[in-house]
Amino acid sequence: MNIVEILQQHAIHRAEEVAIATVAGGRAHSISFGELDAASSRVAARLRREGLTRGDALLVFYPMSIELYVVLLAIFRAGMTAMFLDPSAGREHIDQCCALHPPKGLIASPKAHLLRFVSPGLRRIPHKFVIGPSVPGARSLRGELRSGTAAAEVAPADEATPALLTFTSGSTGRPKAALRTHGFLLAQHRVLQHSLDLTAGDRDLTTLPIFVLANLASGVASLIPDADLRAVGAIDPAPVVAQILRDHPISTAASPAFLERLADYCLAQQRQLPSLRKIFTGGAPVFPRLLDKLHAIAPAAEIVAVYGSTEAEPIAEIPRAAIAETDHAAMRNGGGLLTGHPVPEIEARVIRDRWGTPIAPCSQSEFESQWMAPGEAGEIVVAGDHVLPGYLHGHGDEETKFRVDGRLWHRTGDAGYFDAAGRLWLLGRCAARVTDDRGALYPFAVECAAHYFDALPRTAFLAHGGRRLLIVERRKTSPALDLDSLQRALAWAHLDAIRIVDAIPVDKRHNAKVDYTRLRKLSEIESRM
């Protein structure tokens, strides 16, 4: 089934209801399910008239918006593959991605088209389209986005038909391409619909692109925040709070950095967000302090921390209300970060940590012999219909995939353990483990405990020069920090030093995951000064 066929049902039964709403230039814009279906049909017809055919890949450079989803659904509708990469990663990354899977079309904003001047890979793309004002060398889709009668039938698709291609950087720095088929997107939709309790007719403030697709497939209206989502950890929260108070969404699914900005603003302004009944946050570590802040600004909401990854979203989840005082005590004392029970649609296991060494095909009994007992740390592996089966051309499969009696399993690269209740605890990246004469220690064990100190907005644990270091971020607005109390509270970690910095480097996508590689380089520079 082509995933667009699910959306068509809402175009029939909810034709006049809002599908996506946004704010641009200070003005509110929206599109209904019926209008979205018609516009995507017109754009699909235009792409076909321009000579593009089923199976072709189209690279899309456009921010979250109504136009983006019209184009995305048009590509799915035409049986083509939508391709996304991070243009801020630089020219070399763009050209590497275009070489791995050469796109036949480019659909971009006028500003993004300027990248053609520096990227040979983009210049080689034969079909170029622009959303917005005309630019030389690109055909405008403005007419199809606004009106017209030309329509395109939905191309047939099966479970293996490619739909969405996104790129990440592998451990070697070479891009890895995650290819999602129509079957995979449908399986992920079913999991997200259950996990996020998506109900037709609801309104959701949506910051994560893949969740808009889940909303559309569930008949949920997506409100795109009035913010620059390219840097969610630095958004201006005031317009977003005003948008929530005006449009009354009942739910949101967002990164911790985005919600931290909203929570801090509301607490400072003594405001609450009474319309919110469900708050889901993930994509990066979700520490208890953020959950408490969210409860303070949205006391009527169920607040859920979600653990997942690009290759498997979601893996596990836990409501704030289910975290007991004994769990907090464990997190304060090196237990790591509680992520809750795995979702029913996934199988998760913790095996002996062999990250960095490929796992050969094995039998079920051989696999079970590698399982760690409750309380024992190891490597988290998962399997299920919504777990990405592999990367394009197999690049990255050797390090992240293995088979058990023919069944595919994915290695998350995360370390953790199950407790006696079957809940999963996260300890951090396997590659970030510190092993010395004092034993093995994973970063989240220390960082989660440190987050119980209000004066620390962000921390990072690593080893450098044979010493165990805790790097703490100190902002001008932070409360006074008692380093002696922090050192005593973390005595079990045997820290050699605590270093204070202005900013800890984080990932570009969620602005919340510590970039240990960049942090280690900064530490090396500082040690030579």
Side-chain angles (χ1 to χ4, degrees), residues 219-297:
V220 172
S222 296
L223 308 180
I224 297 177
D226 184 9
D228 183 355
L229 296 178
R230 293 171 297 181
V232 292
I235 64 159
D236 179 0
V240 182
V241 170
Q243 186 180 19
I244 293 172
L245 295 174
R246 180 184 66 245
D247 296 334
H248 309 294
I250 71 160
S251 62
T252 188
S255 74
F258 177 91
L259 291 173
E260 189 106 43
R261 294 286 292 175
L262 294 191
D264 287 345
Y265 174 82
C266 288
L267 290 171
Q269 298 293 320
Q270 296 184 327
R271 290 187 177 181
Q272 290 190 337
L273 305 175
S275 71
L276 291 176
R277 294 291 184 270
K278 297 175 289 185
I279 300 177
F280 301 90
T281 181
V286 182
F287 295 109
R289 186 174 63 198
L290 173 59
L291 302 180
D292 291 342
K293 287 182 180 180
L294 295 174
H295 176 68
I297 68 166

Side-chain angles (χ1 to χ4, degrees), residues 354-374:
R354 290 181 286 168
W355 182 252
T357 301
I359 298 178
C362 60
S363 66
Q364 182 66 28
S365 60
E366 290 172 323
F367 180 45
E368 291 179 7
S369 71
Q370 296 295 315
W371 294 2
M372 307 302 289

Side-chain angles (χ1 to χ4, degrees), residues 341-385:
H341 291 282
V343 297
E345 297 85 354
I346 206 168
E347 283 190 69
R349 298 287 184 268
V350 175
I351 63 174
R352 183 166 60 87
D353 187 351
R354 290 181 286 168
W355 182 252
T357 301
I359 298 178
C362 60
S363 66
Q364 182 66 28
S365 60
E366 290 172 323
F367 180 45
E368 291 179 7
S369 71
Q370 296 295 315
W371 294 2
M372 307 302 289
E376 292 183 340
E379 182 183 333
I380 300 170
V381 298
V382 294
D385 290 342

Side-chain angles (χ1 to χ4, degrees), residues 283-284 505-515 518:
V506 293
D507 68 296
K508 292 182 179 179
R509 182 183 177 195
H510 293 291
N511 300 159
K513 296 179 182 178
V514 173
D515 188 331
R518 288 169 57 201

Side-chain angles (χ1 to χ4, degrees), residues 80-144:
M80 302 170 190
T81 303
M83 179 172 160
F84 291 89
L85 57 88
D86 180 8
S88 68
R91 181 190 64 80
E92 183 179 359
H93 179 76
I94 294 173
D95 289 342
Q96 284 180 328
C97 294
C98 289
L100 278 173
H101 194 75
K104 293 293 183 65
L106 170 66
I107 302 177
S109 66
K111 184 177 180 180
H113 271 285
L114 294 175
L115 292 169
R116 288 192 276 136
F117 288 103
V118 298
S119 170
L122 295 184
R123 291 197 296 273
R124 284 193 290 266
I125 298 175
H127 299 276
K128 301 178 182 69
F129 304 91
V130 63
I131 301 173
S134 299
V135 297
R139 296 178 173 90
S140 175
L141 294 176
R142 179 177 289 178
E144 286 76 15

Side-chain angles (χ1 to χ4, degrees), residues 367-495:
F367 180 45
E368 291 179 7
S369 71
Q370 296 295 315
W371 294 2
M372 307 302 289
E376 292 183 340
E379 182 183 333
I380 300 170
V381 298
V382 294
D385 290 342
H386 71 288
V387 176
L388 193 74
Y391 300 100
L392 188 69
H393 307 317
H395 295 163
D397 286 356
E398 184 180 18
E399 64 188 78
T400 61
K401 309 294 180 184
F402 66 99
R403 290 187 179 274
V404 178
D405 283 343
R407 189 183 187 201
L408 194 71
W409 283 78
H410 172 71
R411 306 172 72 179
T412 65
D414 290 329
Y417 63 92
F418 282 106
D419 63 17
R423 301 178 305 174
L424 187 62
W425 292 70
L426 195 61
L427 293 170
R429 299 297 289 170
C430 294
R433 180 181 62 184
V434 172
T435 304
D436 54 24
D437 56 5
R438 288 162 285 189
L441 190 59
Y442 288 96
F444 280 6
V446 183
E447 293 166 13
C448 187
H451 268 76
Y452 279 92
F453 282 73
D454 291 337
L456 301 178
R458 182 173 288 116
T459 65
F461 171 74
L462 75 163
H464 178 66
R467 306 178 74 211
R468 292 185 173 190
L469 304 179
L470 180 65
I471 313 297
V472 302
E473 190 174 279
R474 179 74 180 279
R475 298 172 187 165
K476 293 180 180 179
T477 57
S478 299
L481 175 60
D482 184 346
L483 289 179
D484 290 336
S485 295
L486 178 62
Q487 187 88 41
R488 286 194 298 272
L490 300 177
W492 50 266
H494 304 292
L495 300 175

